[in-house]
């Protein structure tokens, strides 16, 4: 196993906290009376999830409009809980939404949603593709 530098360890612990709620990062955070450690970490955690949901809404605007705010937020929250962001650019977050919709028992009965997700993702890919 490769030894981690102190900075790499802190970054790893922070990522694990954001993605899985692993508490290791708390020892590296300094709290104050006004803003204790748990509040500071909650701010980052909530912002991270909200940003991923915003990204899904940007990548799937028709689906967001079709479902409405609450239903889309419920869908996005479920997706975020099951899918870590693995890309340097948030633009590519949500690439598995169609598969998620196809396999999720809550959404499987409405195959149109997976079809719409595939279509919207394809439109994003075409927009970003090199000129041909």
């Amino acid at each position: 196993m490769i030894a981690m530098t102190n900075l790499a360890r802190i970054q790893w612990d922070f990522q694990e906290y954001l993605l899985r709620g692993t508490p290791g990062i708390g020892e590296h955070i300094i709290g104050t009376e006004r803003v204790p450690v748990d509040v500071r970490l909650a701010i980052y955690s909530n912002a991270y999830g909200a940003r991923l949901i915003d990204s899904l809404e940007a990548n799937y605007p028709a689906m967001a409009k079709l479902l409405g705010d609450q239903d889309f937020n419920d869908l996005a929250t479920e997706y975020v809980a099951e899918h870590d962001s693995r890309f340097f650019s948030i633009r590519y977050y949500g690439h598995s939404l169609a598969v998620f919709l196809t396999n999720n028992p809550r959404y499987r009965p409405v195959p149109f949603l997976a079809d719409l997700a595939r279509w919207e993702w394809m439109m994003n890919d075409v927009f970003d593709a090199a000129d041909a």
Side-chain angles (χ1 to χ4, degrees):
M1 179 179 225
I2 298 173
M4 286 191 197
T5 65
N6 194 37
L7 177 59
R9 179 83 238 171
I10 291 169
Q11 290 172 327
W12 175 264
D13 287 348
F14 189 60
Q15 179 178 350
E16 287 299 300
Y17 172 78
L18 290 177
L19 298 177
R20 289 170 248 309
T22 306
I25 191 64
E27 67 189 53
H28 302 290
I29 307 298
I30 297 172
T32 65
E33 187 176 315
R34 187 170 170 203
V35 187
V37 170
D38 60 329
V39 172
R40 289 175 187 258
L41 289 173
I43 290 168
Y44 278 102
S45 180
N46 294 338
Y48 180 75
R51 184 64 186 108
L52 292 178
I53 290 170
D54 289 347
S55 174
L56 289 171
E57 187 173 0
N59 285 327
Y60 298 98
M63 184 170 303
K65 187 169 185 165
L66 174 72
L67 294 177
D69 291 342
Q70 186 59 55
D71 287 338
F72 185 79
N73 190 64
D74 292 347
L75 163 67
T77 300
E78 266 187 83
Y79 183 84
V80 167
E82 293 184 24
H83 294 84
D84 297 344
S85 177
R86 303 208 179 273
F87 303 97
F88 287 110
S89 171
I90 200 166
R91 152 55 186 105
Y92 300 103
Y93 186 71
H95 72 287
S96 297
L97 186 63
V99 173
F100 171 80
L101 292 165
T102 299
N103 295 330
N104 186 296
R106 182 174 174 194
Y107 303 105
R108 187 180 313 125
V110 188
F112 169 75
L113 292 177
D115 291 342
L116 179 58
R118 275 189 284 280
W119 179 80
E120 286 198 279
W121 193 259
M122 191 180 315
M123 293 298 290
N124 286 328
D125 278 347
V126 168
F127 183 79
D128 289 342
D131 291 340

